[in-house]
Amino acid sequence: MAVRTGERAGMDRSGKAWPRVVAWALLGLVLLGGSAAASIAVPGLVADEKAFLDAQPCDSGEGAGGGTADCLRTIRGTVLSAEEVKSDKVRVFRVRLRPPVPAPADQPIDVDRHSELSELVKPGDEVDVTTWRYVLVAVGHDGVSETLPGLPDENPTMFVGLSLAGVWLAVLAFIAAFGTARRARRTAAGRPFAARVPFGPFKCAAVVAAPLVVAFFAGSVWDAWTGVVMTVVIWALTAVPATILALRWDRDEPSTSPAAVRLDA
């Protein structure tokens, strides 16, 4: 009777585990799909980066192309407002130009609130805004200029970092699906199985952060495809071994299921 009770309990636990197996597998597929989408965008972003890095100041005729021009266009405008504001939980010094001004200089321009430029610019001043296509590149006043964030040369490596984070999280999801299925089979058979590997939010955040940090570093050192390749290489040399160690950290010795104890007895 005890043997049958143990077998029935093992089968009940096994049946409840299979929905988790499916959920982990579906999560892995979704993550892979997102990583593939980010990877597909990389060649176009690299082409944009090269075009931006090779861009020269516009001639008078080229500047008329507005946002479609591949040259660096300078727009002169008058400051309507210049004040410190909170943007995405970060305080910045926001400058708005008096309309009408051509795009993209008609949108708010956020500069470092601790920069020299933020101490100089005030309403009524004239500033020079450098643009490329529809991207704000820099803003200057009275001989002081500041390069703005979010330029095209930062995008390719960051997309590679997102793709790597998605791929590695997908791998972990598939590992979790395999481990859950394996435990379910061994539980149903009354055989011993290894304890689950604890993988909490901290380790998960580290897996996501590692490729993004590497991507930022590589993008600040190398350009175009060199930065992309170095992002993958550096991440593979550091994050993969670190994640494997994290998965195996504090792994307990294989335990014996209650059903197996009853069977042995």
Side-chain angles (χ1 to χ4, degrees):
M1 181 65 67
V3 173
R4 291 180 180 178
T5 302
E7 289 177 346
R8 188 177 298 110
M11 293 180 67
D12 290 342
R13 288 195 298 270
S14 175
K16 294 178 181 178
W18 289 108
R20 293 199 298 271
V21 174
V22 175
W24 280 118
L26 289 176
L27 177 61
L29 291 175
V30 170
L31 289 168
L32 279 182
S35 299
S39 300
I40 291 172
V42 170
L45 294 173
V46 170
D48 288 343
E49 179 184 9
K50 289 182 177 180
F52 171 71
L53 294 176
D54 294 338
Q56 299 296 323
C58 295
D59 297 331
S60 56
E62 290 179 299
T68 61
D70 251 346
C71 53
L72 296 172
R73 183 169 56 136
T74 299
I75 300 172
R76 174 158 291 188
T78 303
V79 176
L80 175 65
S81 64
E83 57 184 347
E84 188 175 311
V85 299
K86 192 173 184 179
S87 176
D88 295 332
K89 300 182 180 180
V90 178
R91 301 199 68 84
V92 297
F93 188 78
R94 176 164 293 174
V95 177
R96 294 179 184 269
L97 301 186
R98 182 177 300 162
V101 287
D106 57 347
Q107 58 186 278
I109 304 171
D110 294 342
V111 301
D112 185 358
R113 65 190 179 99
H114 298 298
S115 65
E116 184 179 356
L117 189 67
S118 66
E119 300 176 357
L120 293 175
V121 175
K122 59 185 183 297
D125 289 342
E126 285 194 345
V127 296
D128 293 324
V129 180
T130 303
T131 67
W132 178 80
R133 295 183 182 175
Y134 289 103
V135 179
L136 292 168
V137 176
V139 59
H141 169 68
D142 198 19
V144 178
S145 180
E146 179 176 339
T147 301
L148 300 175
L151 299 182
D153 59 343
E154 302 172 359
N155 293 332
T157 55
M158 292 309 297
F159 267 70
V160 173
L162 287 172
S163 180
L164 291 174
V167 167
W168 200 232
L169 286 175
V171 170
L172 297 179
F174 289 136
I175 291 174
F178 173 80
T180 303
R182 183 173 180 270
R183 283 192 298 271
R185 289 194 301 267
R186 296 181 75 88
T187 299
R191 298 166 60 191
F193 56 87
R196 285 196 182 105
V197 178
F199 199 82
F202 179 78
K203 291 180 181 177
C204 188
V207 170
V208 175
L212 298 181
V213 172
V214 171
F216 179 79
F217 169 76
S220 63
V221 176
W222 296 284
D223 297 328
W225 285 110
T226 302
V228 170
V229 172
M230 292 306 298
T231 299
V232 177
V233 171
I234 296 174
W235 174 81
L237 292 176
T238 57
V240 174
T243 305
I244 293 174
L245 288 175
L247 285 173
R248 299 189 63 85
W249 193 263
D250 290 334
R251 178 189 283 272
D252 296 330
E253 293 298 323
S255 60
T256 303
S257 66
V261 172
R262 294 189 185 96
L263 287 173
D264 292 340

